[in-house]
Amino acid sequence: MIDKALLDQHNLTEDEYRLIVELIGKEPNLTELGIFSVMWSEHCGYKSSRVHLKKLPTEGSRVVQGPGENAGILDIGDGQVVVFKIESHNHPSYIEPYQGAATGVGGILRDIFTMGARPIAVLDSLRFGPPDDPKNRSVMEGVVSGIAGYGNSIGVPTVGGEVYFDPCYALNPLVNVFCLGLADKDKIFYAKAEGAGNKVLYVGAKTGRDGIHGATMASAEFGKETEHKRPNVQVGDPFREKLLVEACLEVMDRGIIVGIQDMGAAGLTCSTMEMAAKGGMGIVVDLDKVPQREIGMTPYEILLSESQERMLLVAAPEKVAAVQAIFAKWDLDAPVIGEVIEGGRARISFKGEVVVDVPVDAVVNLCPAYNRPIVAPAPPPPAPDLDVLPLPADLGDVFLKILASPTIADKQWVFRQYDHMVQVNTVFLPGADAAVLRIKGSKKALAMTLDGNGLYTRLDPRTGARIAVAEACRNLACVGARPIGVTNCLNFGNPEKPEVMGQFEQAVTGIAEACRTFAIPVTGGNVSFYNDTEGLSIHPTPVLGIVGIIKDIRKAVRPGFRAAGDTVVLIGESLEELGGTEYLKTFHGLEAGAPPAIDLEQEKLNQEFLLDSIEAGLIRSAHDLSEGGLAVALAECAFHGQGQVGCAIDLDDAGRDDALLFGESQSRIVVTCRRANVAGLLKGAVAAGVPAKAIGRTGGTAILVRRSGREILHVPVDEAFHAWKDSLPAFFKVRT
């Protein structure tokens, strides 16, 4: 008997249940109800976000595959494509940090190689509660270890990312993982079951009871009790996944399969239903032939399990033996469990009885889309009037405190646990504005970055989202790369709250506007709703993964000062803006005010000017200004330089000293050039309509800033370096 209590357990409404009955022409049994539960979950069905995601630009001259497949694909020329995507594994990583993060890596890797691409890079965007809390440290340690344990074991480098800290993530950390792969354009594969009579093969690990209803769990708020949800978290095996990668790439390279899909969220249910629906076909499956590692599993458990390292393949009957031989060579199961049929229905049997008989289109394509009520987000708490905000007595002490704040501080404690050099494609070590990877056999290089400021987006969702796109593109420009495509991971609270939907709608609008300005298509991504625990939502946190191309790897630029005696030039305008800054949060304890304003057209002009100047050989180093403003950017340039080169800066801007040092005005980049090139660089800026001025010289052992001849900051590079370097590790030396 299917009653309201059972529907509640499956996160289905009574209206949705009535629609299911209408679509399939009968009352569903429990297994069929479970199938609709996972496939119509927010995580798989995008029922609250689809109406808004249509705003995003998805077309472009490079686009080979946009949204709708396992990953997006862009043409990079020379017969090659890049395949990339970002996914979230937030809820599982709070319940079981190690396995939650590890299986997040495993899942995104499968999204990439299932398209026929070899994964060559992973980046991760992480959000945690303040590290002075032992629980937050424990979650962080588990997540970082899980990413390292899986990525290092499988042999894919983790080459970059970001880590933020805020109390809003204490009960709901964010673990967003990006992966990029490289493939030949003529060897791309899709998740389609085509050709009646073709065989369906199950390959990889055996099915267990781990991860059952993982997709449903990711589509609901958390309460105080989470321990009972541990069975919903999958368990990963990177060594088996490595075998799976090689076996799948081999059968794809030999062209002996028709289609392939990962058994990710919703497991065997997702792969069978989606492959059949995308191919316009039906499918029959015998669950008795599915390899199982536990005794007495029910059809419900087999179909909804999210056990890792599993794929579904479709092959012509005459190719089955060859496929099985390759998987056997890699010590992997590859039994035939079903067949592609005409008619558009999924018929699944168990112990000789049909346990599922539903139209695949109803499961995959007819999930309801909701235009949920929207309320404009509440205005941010007002920033204090600058006339009454006290100016710190010692800006040097403030500077050191900001450098030591967990969000700004050095993240080597995190990335030193990752193997970032495996496959020997990595050009820049973590810490540069963007990761850079060589394309073997070519002078071109790929650059990629992740970016998103949740506080900005909470204070103004549209502006915060626009800034996330702009800063990611700016990060690419700082290494000499032009952006070509976007994937996004949109982390928000409960969509049933009108204010959360207001945040989401505004953020998507901002992303769409910025992507159109930069002429970059969105090729796919992930929406993660229900990031609420005990009724409290996280900051709305859109994370943008943007990929770029460097035409000549020899011209790639690093962030650190190269040598003493170079001229420091600031591109962009500094305004008196303190809302949403790390300074206001760290020193004054305020998350308030409007975030910095952004002019997208000016941002694009500034970036184009920088890229043209890099290609002309005028730029020695480049680093964008973001959290912490000019002072922090100068410090990071000193830290990443050759031998910790200091600088002497002279400014004449109007406004407060703290705003000048720590304001986060957008579209700014600090670059260095040889003295002989300064005049040409500044002349080019005028011609391009770009604000730029020489502000000082590199050299010395201190970070020195004078304003109209008055010293406002003077801190030894070594002292600043240790404040920045030692902060995060210090939290993990203390156990309470």
Side-chain angles (χ1 to χ4, degrees):
M1 173 71 179
I2 294 176
D3 55 17
K4 187 177 185 306
L6 190 59
L7 292 178
D8 289 345
Q9 291 174 23
H10 287 78
N11 279 10
L12 289 168
T13 68
E14 293 181 64
D15 285 343
E16 288 170 344
Y17 178 70
R18 283 190 286 271
L19 178 58
I20 291 167
V21 172
E22 179 183 336
L23 290 173
I24 68 175
K26 64 177 183 178
E27 298 279 337
N29 60 39
L30 182 62
T31 302
E32 291 167 340
L33 186 73
I35 285 172
F36 278 97
S37 170
V38 292
M39 294 300 292
W40 283 18
S41 68
E42 197 70 59
H43 189 76
C44 295
Y46 290 83
K47 54 192 177 186
S48 298
S49 59
R50 271 185 282 156
V51 295
H52 301 290
L53 295 176
K54 292 176 182 178
K55 297 177 183 178
L56 299 175
T58 59
E59 297 180 353
S61 60
R62 293 183 181 271
V63 176
V64 176
Q65 175 63 54
E69 265 289 342
N70 287 300
I73 305 176
L74 295 177
D75 191 333
I76 59 170
D78 301 318
Q80 290 183 303
V81 295
V82 286
V83 181
F84 63 103
K85 190 182 182 185
I86 188 170
E87 279 276 3
S88 63
H89 234 224
N90 303 336
H91 281 21
S93 298
Y94 181 61
I95 299 169
E96 175 47 67
Y98 184 96
Q99 290 296 348
T103 53
V105 175
I108 195 67
L109 289 170
R110 290 193 298 278
D111 282 339
I112 302 307
F113 74 75
T114 192
M115 305 292 292
R118 180 172 292 279
I120 62 171
V122 167
L123 292 84
D124 49 78
S125 176
L126 310 176
R127 303 288 191 282
F128 303 106
D132 55 0
D133 185 308
K135 173 63 175 176
N136 296 336
R137 291 199 300 271
S138 175
V139 171
M140 182 176 176
E141 284 182 304
V143 165
V144 172
S145 296
I147 293 169
Y150 208 102
N152 294 354
S153 298
I154 203 170
V156 178
T158 301
V159 295
E162 57 175 9
V163 187
Y164 281 76
F165 298 87
D166 190 275
C168 75
Y169 304 113
L171 298 177
N172 206 123
L174 301 184
V175 178
N176 295 177
V177 185
F178 167 103
C179 184
L180 178 141
L182 199 59
D184 291 336
K185 188 176 180 180
D186 61 354
K187 292 185 178 179
I188 299 168
F189 280 80
Y190 296 98
K192 291 183 180 180
E194 295 179 314
N198 283 340
K199 302 302 181 183
V200 178
L201 290 86
Y202 172 115
V203 302
K206 291 181 171 63
T207 295
R209 290 189 170 95
D210 52 320
I212 294 173
H213 267 299
T216 309
M217 176 193 69
S219 305
E221 287 191 14
F222 275 178
K224 290 185 177 180
E225 298 298 328
T226 58
E227 286 297 314
H228 72 281
K229 293 182 180 286
R230 284 183 183 270
N232 296 136
V233 180
Q234 310 94 324
V235 178
D237 180 349
F239 302 104
R240 185 170 293 275
E241 176 123 333
K242 175 61 175 173
L243 300 177
L244 192 62
V245 170
E246 300 303 332
C248 287
L249 290 177
E250 185 171 342
V251 296
M252 287 188 276
D253 184 63
R254 289 182 55 182
I256 56 175
I257 63 171
V258 173
I260 178 171
Q261 176 146 329
D262 164 38
M263 293 186 213
L268 184 58
T269 290
C270 178
S271 53
T272 52
M273 299 292 172
E274 287 190 352
M275 288 188 78
K278 288 178 181 177
M281 303 298 289
I283 192 168
V284 293
V285 173
D286 183 352
L287 295 181
D288 295 310
K289 296 179 180 178
V290 173
Q292 299 162 46
R293 69 168 184 262
E294 298 188 43
I295 296 172
M297 292 188 72
T298 66
Y300 185 100
E301 293 172 325
I302 297 168
L303 284 166
L304 271 62
S305 168
E306 293 182 12
S307 293
Q308 297 293 285
E309 294 87 38
R310 303 178 302 156
M311 310 285 284
L312 202 68
L313 308 184
V314 174
E318 65 273 15
K319 303 292 186 182
V320 168
V323 172
Q324 291 175 325
I326 288 171
F327 278 88
K329 180 181 75 172
W330 292 100
D331 195 26
L332 293 169
D333 293 318
V336 173
I337 66 167
E339 186 173 300
V340 179
I341 60 171
E342 301 280 2
R345 297 189 72 85
R347 292 191 179 91
I348 301 174
S349 62
F350 180 70
K351 297 191 182 304
E353 294 185 10
V354 174
V355 293
V356 173
D357 186 357
V358 295
V360 294
D361 201 45
V363 177
V364 176
N365 296 320
L366 299 180
C367 171
Y370 297 131
N371 201 342
R372 294 193 183 276
I374 288 176
V375 171
D385 192 314
L386 295 182
D387 292 334
V388 299
L389 184 70
L391 188 67
D394 188 338
L395 290 170
D397 285 345
V398 176
F399 177 52
L400 294 172
K401 187 173 183 179
I402 292 174
L403 286 174
S405 68
T407 291
I408 300 292
D410 180 34
K411 303 304 186 300
Q412 190 183 55
W413 182 89
V414 175
F415 66 71
R416 74 181 178 187
Q417 300 183 48
Y418 305 150
D419 186 338
H420 39 263
M421 294 302 294
V422 65
Q423 298 189 20
V424 295
N425 294 315
T426 309
V427 179
F428 291 174
L429 299 180
D433 288 67
V436 177
L437 280 83
R438 65 177 54 85
I439 301 173
K440 290 171 182 166
S442 169
K443 68 177 183 179
K444 293 185 300 187
L446 294 169
M448 59 213 73
T449 187
L450 298 179
D451 204 272
N453 186 312
L455 178 55
Y456 285 177
T457 313
R458 182 180 78 82
L459 297 174
D460 183 336
R462 185 173 173 182
T463 298
R466 295 169 93 195
I467 288 173
V469 176
E471 186 175 344
C473 290
R474 198 184 319 138
N475 287 334
L476 294 176
C478 284
V479 300
R482 295 181 185 273
I484 60 171
V486 184
T487 181
N488 56 52
C489 198
L490 307 179
N491 306 274
F492 286 77
N494 185 341
E496 297 165 46
K497 297 177 180 178
E499 186 169 306
V500 169
M501 283 309 301
Q503 293 172 336
F504 184 80
E505 187 274 333
Q506 285 292 296
V508 172
T509 298
I511 291 170
E513 291 168 341
C515 288
R516 286 193 170 89
T517 298
F518 289 98
I520 45 177
V522 177
T523 62
N526 172 236
V527 177
S528 175
F529 276 132
Y530 292 98
N531 289 290
D532 287 62
T533 301
E534 298 176 26
L536 299 175
S537 297
I538 61 162
H539 290 339
T541 310
V543 175
L544 279 297
I546 304 188
V547 177
I549 288 183
I550 301 173
K551 291 181 181 178
D552 187 342
I553 195 171
R554 295 169 297 180
K555 294 184 177 181
V557 171
R558 300 173 187 268
F561 293 147
R562 297 289 298 276
D566 285 345
T567 298
V568 181
V569 174
L570 180 63
I571 298 171
E573 286 191 291
S574 299
L575 305 176
E576 195 174 44
E577 299 174 299
L578 286 176
T581 59
E582 189 69 20
Y583 161 68
L584 208 61
K585 177 181 175 181
T586 299
F587 188 76
H588 293 284
L590 296 171
E591 294 188 350
I598 184 163
D599 179 333
L600 291 173
E601 293 297 337
Q602 187 62 56
E603 175 83 46
K604 186 177 181 181
L605 284 176
N606 293 5
Q607 292 185 24
E608 289 291 338
F609 168 68
L610 174 63
L611 287 164
D612 290 343
S613 300
I614 289 172
E615 289 178 2
L618 299 177
I619 302 296
R620 297 260 282 164
S621 71
H623 185 38
D624 85 307
L625 275 66
S626 55
E627 288 87 2
L630 177 62
V632 167
L634 292 170
E636 290 171 342
C637 289
F639 303 157
H640 291 296
Q642 297 179 348
Q644 294 188 16
V645 178
C647 61
I649 305 298
D650 288 283
L651 303 172
D652 57 6
D653 303 71
R656 294 166 55 106
D657 290 348
D658 52 358
L660 193 61
L661 291 173
F662 309 121
E664 296 175 8
S665 294
Q666 293 298 294
S667 311
R668 296 185 298 165
I669 304 144
V670 61
V671 304
T672 59
C673 63
R674 299 184 192 278
R675 293 190 209 181
N677 291 330
V678 175
L681 184 68
L682 297 181
K683 182 179 179 181
V686 172
V690 169
K693 59 183 177 181
I695 61 171
R697 297 266 177 85
T698 61
T701 59
I703 298 164
L704 169 64
V705 181
R706 291 183 290 257
R707 182 178 182 190
S708 302
R710 175 173 55 88
E711 190 175 285
I712 61 173
L713 185 69
H714 190 170
V715 176
V717 174
D718 188 61
E719 184 179 357
F721 177 76
H722 283 290
W724 174 79
K725 185 78 172 177
D726 299 339
S727 174
L728 202 56
F731 286 107
F732 294 91
K733 292 177 182 175
V734 178
R735 292 291 177 267
T736 58

